[in-house]
Amino acid sequence: MSLWVDKYRPTSLGKLDYHKTQATQLKNLVQCGDFPHLLVYGPSGAGKKTRIMCLLRELYGAGVEKLRIEHQTIVAPSKKKIEINTIASNYHLEVNPSDAGNQDRVVIQELIKTVAQSQQIQSSTQREFKVVLLTEVDRLTKDAQHALRRTMEKYMSTCRLILCSTSTSKVIGPIRSRCLAIRVPLPSTEEVCNVLTSICKKEGLLLPPELAKNISEKSGRNLRKALLMCEACRVQQYPFSADQDVPETDWEVYLRETANAIVSQQSPQRLLEVRARLYELLTHCIPPDIIMKGLVTELLSNCDGQLKTEVAQMAAYYEHRLQLGNKAIYHLEAFTAKFMAIYKKFMEDGLDAMMF
Amino acid sequence: MDKLSGGEKAASSRLNRWVDPSFTELPGESFAVSRRRKAVSSKAEVKKPRKRAGEAGSLQPPTPSLLRECAHRDQDESWVDRYSPRSQAELAVHKKKIEEVENWIKVHTNTSKGGVLLLTGPSGCGKTATVKVLSLELDLRVQEWTNPSNQEPYSSSQQEWRTNGLSFTSQLTQFQDFLLRANKYKCLKMVGDGGATDRKFILVEDFPNQFYRQPGSLHDILRRFVKTSRCPLVFIVSDSLSGDSSSRCLFPKEIQEELDIGSISFNPVAPTTMMKVLTRISTLEAGKSAGRMCVPDLAVLETLCSGSSGDVRSAINSLQFSSLPDTSLEKGLLRKDRHGTTLGKAVSRTNQRKKRSKQKKDQEEEQAIGGKDASLFLFRALGKILHCKRGKQEDAEVVECPPGPPLPSHLSHHHREALLVDPEYVVERSHMSGEFFSLYLHQNYLDFFSEVEDVDRASEYLSDADLLNSDWTSRSTMGYYGSSVATRGLLHSNSQQVSVGFRPLHKPNWLLVNKKHRENGLAAQSLFRSFCLTPLSLQTELLPYLAKLTNPLRNQAQIAFIQDVGHMSLRRLPGRLKLEALTDKEPAQPEGDSEEEEEQKVESQGGVEEGLPESQPQPRTSQDLLEEEELLIEDYNSD
């Protein structure tokens, strides 16, 4: 039994649930059997990958769904071995170059070279190009992005690139201009509700509209999250009740409690406890920037309007340092300490104002 | 080997007299040397306590016939030997420590069941002296292991021992035999021994080199020893400041617990005690030399004392050196100098020395003589920064520059009293990279702060320091600035220094957390590859929900991983991270600064482990050890 997310993933452009005009545009795009390099971007859970796979299926037929996971070893010029996992069909190759960390440039050059240099044998029946799908392009180093720019032009005849990223802000200009950019926005709340209801219907379940709305709001319109939540609801309680709790992930709850701990008391001892909690989150694989973001969101909701700008500015400051620095905990903790200091001062001032 | 070095010394003694070997003119010289040889060849040196020392000429008081000789030897014999303590009162060790050791030895020699004791401490803090004195006072025999030197040179004797049926035994086996025999058999009664007792203990100060490479083999031997032990075994290990502390490597905590090894750790000798010892020796010497010797005054003794950082041996050595009779030595050397013989180093040293005796000790220069590199244990280094000692206004002895003009009023809240320590100096002395030191500080600083505002500033400085260290291309230069910012920032921002008492210090969690974070990330990637998700959505969305679902997973590893990582128990306190307390003598952990370095280290470690069995002799199993033991006993009986 696979997850609902995977089970009910649309496989062709025609079956997509939302952004239907975009779907027809994509269909038209590959109608002639060829297409330019694509840069697909949009928030997580909007359906970028789904659309890309549909597109590939439209191009190559059902053969593209026979996936195999390959483990490749690439030797960098410095003789360092880089191991990377790829997902491939006969027609395309999916790789996440940022898995290789700093060595992603080598991965891009070598992988694309090997793919592009092997010609399709039956070019009469098939397309004469292969597709390389690069995910998380926004996490590529600048080095790798510049290498990509050259590679894109060089192997245009045998290879098409589809780049997938959450935002284009970290993708360098030359690459953006070489690709056809396709934005996949988040589905609206109604669209999420519709998808949830139809899937529940397919599962033979009855989903109350209130719950569907509740889920889609809680999920932040992230469809993957919404489906996972919906499935978790099903585990939690069936038949659904309209006002049942939508389960949140443990780490979100944990983070909220951490934020509450910060707000409720400001002292070095409390900071020590918060640090332990941050460590706990980190060991559970939550990336530091996500922690920072979650923390700020929770803290802001506890702040007065006056403080909000200040807190947001600090958050930006330390988030920047988080990216530049080496050890995340310093910056997370510095932010927490800063917030504590500001908040304490604010509260004390407020008390003083009340007194006089 | 002895002969060779003796020859060398003789030759050199013709050149300049002051490097004469101390034993050339001793009456007991031949005896002592032969004894030493014998000891070397017989592996186990069985001696009556203090016997040799007595023979070697430190008779007190000297008999008239020996007086002349003594006076002659004065400048040759090292004072460390001559004034080695002979009673508990003379020991430069704290009474409680001596008592502790004494109690242990008493308890364990009176029962037939032996035990193992581990004495640790910095070099020259009186570990060996304590044991020797105690053995003397408690009337115990000491059986000491000395590493055998190779008896046969390789080239000549190879054939010989083939024909004679001799076989080469490794140091390891010899050590094992030694322990076995020392444990099993009583000492031979010799005629001259007098009424020596049978009670004895085994002393090991000199470890076979193999143990440093493979501590496991020592542990095996010890396990077997503990099972059958009848007499106590004392190990003496010096602490070292570098990362590979031998005591930790040879006697890890697990082994200590498993074998019930008593452990007593010595502190560096306290300055007052050291002063006592130094004054005692210098007055004794001065009395003996009858004015021919320049007696160092109190100030010199104090500098020596502070320069030796608690190492009695080096302090006495430098005392001896600094009170060498200036007249004879200097004249002789200077004359030679005029003659044109180049004795560069010696001359320059004496000149230095002369200058010093004239212009009364510059601290730096005095350290050139026998001064010990004053390094700090991590615990103390951290304490120096965290406890943030500041001078009082009237206190003249401040390291920092004298107070300048007072700060303008709008900056007055930044005013601090001058520091008593130099932070950069502390970091340097801690033998750690600044980055790593900052991690330790970060782990521990919160306990020492009372105000959130101060914490805020301190944490910002730490964040700054990390930023300075972040770029690897400039790390080598920026590292110093980083640590400077971190330490000074912490010191400065702690405005309301509360007088905290003892606070336990902890090792940084970050390295572990970071490693776990990375490992878990990679594990998640490889285990849940089939979901084709980016790491971010995998970690923040899929995994936590998978933990909530009843979706059958494909394999055990996935289930275990979800259990571990996906779930976060909300009720219990974060207990995954145990705080590892930092003990006061612990050297720095091996560092793993950047990720790549760490990974490489892991790889190389793995490689070494795999490579070991071929290149090194395998630790033998207990069974064939037992067999060998029985064989040995037979051998012994037939003798």
Side-chain angles (χ1 to χ4, degrees):
Chain A
M1 186 182 104
S2 58
L3 295 171
W4 292 357
V5 186
D6 297 322
K7 202 170 168 185
Y8 299 107
R9 193 187 292 279
T11 49
S12 74
L13 285 171
K15 285 186 197 157
L16 289 175
D17 294 299
Y18 52 92
H19 305 329
K20 296 210 187 226
T21 45
Q22 189 189 47
T24 41
Q25 280 169 348
L26 286 175
K27 204 168 190 168
N28 293 337
L29 182 71
V30 293
Q31 202 81 67
C32 58
D34 199 358
F35 69 97
H37 297 311
L38 297 182
L39 171 59
V40 183
Y41 66 99
S44 159
K48 300 181 293 292
K49 269 293 263 314
T50 310
R51 273 161 186 73
I52 293 168
M53 292 314 286
C54 292
L55 190 79
L56 290 178
R57 192 190 146 94
E58 192 77 23
L59 260 177
Y60 294 107
V64 89
E65 278 159 19
K66 281 184 197 147
L67 296 174
R68 54 181 188 272
I69 296 171
E70 287 170 351
H71 195 75
Q72 297 208 12
T73 312
I74 298 164
V75 182
S78 61
K79 296 280 181 291
K80 193 183 176 200
K81 275 186 186 165
I82 304 160
E83 301 196 339
I84 196 158
N85 286 302
T86 59
I87 300 162
S89 74
N90 285 337
Y91 310 105
H92 87 289
L93 175 81
E94 181 190 334
V95 63
N96 185 352
S98 54
D99 284 353
N102 282 329
Q103 304 281 331
D104 49 2
R105 182 179 61 87
V106 186
V107 172
I108 286 202
Q109 286 176 328
E110 295 297 317
L111 266 187
I112 295 182
K113 208 195 289 175
T114 41
V115 171
Q117 278 171 350
S118 56
Q119 302 273 345
Q120 290 284 32
I121 298 173
Q122 296 171 295
S123 59
S124 53
T125 56
Q126 294 297 341
R127 312 285 168 197
E128 54 199 14
F129 54 82
K130 272 193 168 186
V131 172
V132 176
L133 169 57
L134 299 176
T135 52
E136 289 200 297
V137 185
D138 44 350
R139 295 176 78 107
L140 286 182
T141 58
K142 285 277 173 302
D143 244 17
Q145 295 200 25
H146 284 289
L148 190 58
R149 168 174 88 163
R150 182 80 192 94
T151 320
M152 277 169 123
E153 284 171 349
K154 208 169 163 190
Y155 300 109
M156 187 65 194
S157 58
T158 50
C159 168
R160 295 286 177 280
L161 289 179
I162 300 179
L163 311 179
C164 185
S165 85
T166 48
S167 92
T168 53
S169 62
K170 282 188 182 171
V171 181
I172 58 171
I175 290 183
R176 268 186 278 174
S177 86
R178 277 170 178 76
C179 297
L180 178 68
I182 297 168
R183 176 163 182 272
V184 184
L186 282 177
S188 66
T189 317
E190 289 75 44
E191 283 165 337
V192 175
C193 287
N194 290 340
V195 173
L196 289 178
T197 325
S198 70
I199 285 178
C200 281
K201 199 183 265 174
K202 280 180 202 159
E203 279 284 317
L205 308 171
L206 193 70
L207 184 69
E210 294 85 0
L211 184 62
K213 193 157 185 313
N214 203 357
I215 290 176
S216 62
E217 271 164 6
K218 274 244 165 129
S219 66
R221 285 148 68 203
N222 178 338
L223 192 60
R224 173 172 41 234
K225 205 168 169 185
L227 282 171
L228 285 167
M229 275 178 170
C230 187
E231 205 173 340
C233 281
R234 159 84 178 80
V235 172
Q236 192 185 48
Q237 178 187 355
Y238 189 81
F240 293 122
S241 67
D243 53 351
Q244 85 179 83
D245 280 344
V246 179
E248 280 181 287
T249 54
D250 283 351
W251 68 267
E252 282 169 322
V253 180
Y254 197 79
L255 198 58
R256 183 172 318 129
E257 283 177 3
T258 310
N260 289 338
I262 295 172
V263 172
S264 65
Q265 190 194 333
Q266 294 87 33
S267 70
Q269 281 65 41
R270 182 49 63 92
L271 184 59
L272 208 57
E273 285 162 30
V274 170
R275 183 202 286 169
R277 296 182 75 97
L278 291 177
Y279 276 147
E280 185 77 5
L281 281 168
L282 282 172
T283 49
H284 280 89
C285 275
I286 311 299
D289 42 348
I290 300 288
I291 296 180
M292 181 71 121
K293 203 171 139 192
L295 211 53
V296 175
T297 323
E298 295 296 338
L299 288 177
L300 279 180
S301 65
N302 278 313
C303 279
D304 228 35
Q306 245 173 307
L307 271 184
K308 274 184 179 161
T309 49
E310 209 173 337
V311 172
Q313 191 209 351
M314 269 159 31
Y317 179 73
Y318 284 107
E319 155 76 23
H320 182 225
R321 297 188 147 212
L322 199 64
Q323 303 294 336
L324 292 178
N326 236 347
K327 301 186 173 67
I329 189 68
Y330 284 135
H331 311 295
L332 287 174
E333 193 173 299
F335 170 69
T336 315
K338 191 109 206 161
F339 178 83
M340 279 185 171
I342 292 180
Y343 192 78
K344 195 176 172 205
K345 188 159 184 303
F346 178 77
M347 294 306 276
E348 277 166 3
D349 287 354
L351 273 181
D352 285 352
M354 295 251 281
M355 303 269 258
F356 299 113
Chain B
M1 198 197 103
D2 265 345
K3 231 182 267 171
L4 192 76
S5 62
E8 261 176 17
K9 279 179 186 165
S12 61
S13 75
R14 245 168 280 138
L15 283 176
N16 44 350
R17 249 195 48 69
W18 62 280
V19 281
D20 261 3
S22 62
F23 47 78
T24 42
E25 281 150 293
L26 296 185
E29 177 249 325
S30 60
F31 184 47
V33 170
S34 71
R35 271 191 78 95
R36 192 172 301 157
R37 284 218 184 109
K38 211 165 67 192
V40 162
S41 61
S42 69
K43 291 168 291 188
E45 186 180 359
V46 184
K47 63 183 179 195
K48 183 132 192 292
R50 304 309 310 163
K51 189 91 188 235
R52 198 177 75 188
E55 282 160 3
S58 59
L59 294 175
Q60 175 121 32
T63 52
S65 62
L66 276 173
L67 192 58
R68 201 175 47 84
E69 265 175 351
C70 270
H72 187 70
R73 272 188 271 122
D74 270 351
Q75 62 204 66
D76 293 336
E77 197 198 1
S78 96
W79 291 1
V80 178
D81 286 342
R82 190 180 322 166
Y83 297 104
S84 60
R86 245 146 291 159
S87 67
Q88 286 196 22
E90 285 180 37
L91 273 174
V93 184
H94 197 268
K95 278 202 189 66
K96 287 270 168 59
K97 261 312 163 214
I98 305 177
E99 210 174 303
E100 210 176 322
V101 181
E102 190 179 357
N103 283 341
W104 191 92
I105 292 181
K106 268 185 187 161
V107 166
H108 286 83
T109 43
N110 287 337
T111 57
S112 60
K113 175 107 180 68
V116 185
L117 176 68
L118 173 66
L119 297 181
T120 56
S123 52
C125 68
K127 302 183 289 291
T128 315
T130 308
V131 170
K132 296 238 155 117
V133 164
L134 284 177
S135 74
L136 196 67
E137 294 199 339
L138 300 177
D139 199 19
L140 294 169
R141 278 169 180 269
V142 186
Q143 216 163 353
E144 185 174 359
W145 161 261
T146 38
N147 273 342
S149 53
N150 248 353
Q151 289 112 329
E152 291 100 342
Y154 285 112
S155 54
S156 66
S157 60
Q158 196 136 27
Q159 270 190 328
E160 224 173 56
W161 35 272
R162 243 178 236 154
T163 49
N164 292 354
L166 287 171
S167 60
F168 174 77
T169 47
S170 68
Q171 252 183 27
L172 201 72
T173 344
Q174 289 180 26
F175 181 73
Q176 204 174 307
D177 290 352
F178 164 72
L179 272 192
L180 177 74
R181 286 179 186 161
N183 187 28
K184 263 197 173 145
Y185 304 109
K186 293 176 175 171
C187 298
L188 289 179
K189 284 256 193 274
M190 303 297 262
V191 181
D193 274 350
T197 47
D198 286 336
R199 293 188 306 154
K200 62 168 184 178
F201 61 90
I202 312 171
L203 177 66
V204 179
E205 206 174 349
D206 202 12
F207 289 89
N209 289 332
Q210 179 66 18
F211 290 155
Y212 292 107
R213 265 172 263 148
Q214 277 187 317
S217 49
L218 172 66
H219 303 158
D220 288 344
I221 291 177
L222 276 183
R223 275 189 200 109
R224 284 169 4 85
F225 176 83
V226 165
K227 258 181 232 156
T228 62
S229 72
R230 285 182 210 163
C231 84
L233 173 63
V234 178
F235 288 101
I236 297 183
V237 185
S238 286
D239 287 339
S240 65
L241 282 157
S242 53
D244 54 335
S245 165
S246 47
S247 67
R248 276 214 304 169
C249 142
L250 289 172
F251 299 96
K253 277 264 150 35
E254 308 88 76
I255 290 294
Q256 287 195 22
E257 272 163 28
E258 183 191 330
L259 301 178
D260 194 23
I261 298 180
S263 169
I264 298 175
S265 116
F266 281 65
N267 293 326
V269 178
T272 46
T273 334
M274 174 102 72
M275 276 305 283
K276 236 179 261 170
V277 172
L278 291 184
T279 29
R280 183 174 65 90
I281 291 179
S282 65
T283 46
L284 275 179
E285 274 298 320
K288 220 184 274 176
S289 69
R292 284 190 298 109
M293 180 176 295
C294 86
V295 182
D297 59 5
L298 207 64
V300 174
L301 290 185
E302 259 164 17
T303 25
L304 282 177
C305 183
S306 66
S308 64
S309 63
D311 184 342
V312 154
R313 190 186 298 126
S314 92
I316 297 178
N317 276 336
S318 42
L319 173 69
Q320 183 177 13
F321 188 70
S322 60
S323 60
L324 275 180
D326 270 6
T327 46
S328 63
L329 186 70
E330 233 164 79
K331 264 182 201 160
L333 287 171
L334 285 177
R335 201 174 55 235
K336 274 182 189 168
D337 193 31
R338 238 176 274 139
H339 286 203
T341 25
T342 48
L343 278 163
K345 203 175 173 186
V347 169
S348 72
R349 270 212 194 165
T350 5
N351 284 350
Q352 252 182 33
R353 159 89 204 95
K354 212 168 97 188
K355 220 186 291 165
R356 212 173 304 121
S357 61
K358 274 174 190 159
Q359 34 161 277
K360 286 308 166 191
K361 68 249 136 240
D362 179 5
Q363 165 122 19
E364 289 296 310
E365 264 195 290
E366 190 69 46
Q367 296 232 336
I369 275 191
K372 215 181 156 191
D373 187 18
S375 37
L376 291 170
F377 281 103
L378 178 57
F379 189 83
R380 302 231 308 134
L382 286 176
K384 274 191 191 301
I385 298 294
L386 291 173
H387 281 286
C388 178
K389 294 250 170 69
R390 289 186 183 279
K392 297 284 168 290
Q393 197 81 63
E394 63 273 16
D395 204 349
E397 254 195 336
V398 283
V399 179
E400 296 287 275
C401 45
L407 289 172
S409 59
H410 67 284
L411 290 176
S412 58
H413 60 281
H414 284 306
H415 176 73
R416 302 282 188 277
E417 300 299 339
L419 285 174
L420 284 179
V421 288
D422 183 9
E424 284 80 21
Y425 185 75
V426 170
V427 175
E428 191 190 321
R429 287 280 179 265
S430 71
H431 294 262
M432 269 201 294
S433 77
E435 203 177 343
F436 206 53
F437 193 78
S438 308
L439 262 185
Y440 269 95
L441 286 179
H442 172 254
Q443 178 69 39
N444 294 302
Y445 77 100
L446 282 178
D447 276 339
F448 295 83
F449 283 71
S450 54
E451 296 297 313
V452 177
E453 288 75 22
D454 293 346
V455 171
D456 165 35
R457 294 192 47 224
S459 62
E460 189 170 347
Y461 281 120
L462 284 174
S463 159
D464 285 339
D466 181 48
L467 212 58
L468 287 176
N469 280 330
S470 63
D471 190 8
W472 61 271
T473 49
S474 57
R475 196 176 287 163
S476 55
T477 43
M478 297 308 283
Y480 299 107
Y481 297 102
S483 66
S484 213
V485 165
T487 49
R488 285 187 181 268
L490 275 189
L491 285 169
H492 186 260
S493 48
N494 199 354
S495 66
Q496 312 225 321
Q497 180 63 37
V498 279
S499 59
V500 288
F502 173 76
R503 293 283 163 93
L505 300 181
H506 302 286
K507 292 179 184 165
N509 277 332
W510 167 253
L511 293 180
L512 183 73
V513 168
N514 194 28
K515 201 170 136 216
K516 258 212 150 116
H517 180 65
R518 229 171 36 234
E519 274 173 3
N520 283 345
L522 289 177
Q525 282 252 281
S526 58
L527 285 174
F528 299 96
R529 179 142 295 282
S530 54
F531 288 100
C532 302
L533 285 176
T534 57
L536 183 70
S537 48
L538 186 69
Q539 287 155 15
T540 56
E541 288 165 18
L542 184 70
L543 289 183
Y545 278 113
L546 272 183
K548 290 196 178 292
L549 298 179
T550 49
N551 204 26
L553 293 163
R554 257 155 254 180
N555 57 41
Q556 206 62 42
Q558 286 181 339
I559 296 170
F561 187 81
I562 287 286
Q563 293 270 327
D564 185 35
V565 174
H567 278 299
M568 284 188 91
S569 59
L570 304 172
R571 249 149 270 126
R572 88 186 145 100
L573 280 165
R576 183 189 289 251
L577 295 166
K578 248 202 291 181
L579 284 178
E580 216 179 329
L582 181 71
T583 59
D584 52 351
K585 289 293 171 54
E586 205 141 358
Q589 289 176 324
E591 295 180 35
D593 285 347
S594 74
E595 301 178 5
E596 278 168 9
E597 265 175 26
E598 212 165 72
E599 273 162 29
Q600 277 169 2
K601 215 177 274 172
V602 168
E603 276 169 23
S604 68
Q605 271 173 2
V608 166
E609 267 167 40
E610 280 165 14
L612 260 182
E614 289 141 28
S615 59
Q616 306 264 340
Q618 301 250 12
R620 280 167 289 186
T621 61
S622 59
Q623 202 184 350
D624 59 25
L625 277 173
L626 278 174
E627 280 169 20
E628 209 172 88
E629 188 180 315
E630 277 160 18
L631 253 177
L632 274 170
I633 294 166
E634 273 177 22
D635 230 334
Y636 222 73
N637 286 343
S638 66
D639 279 351

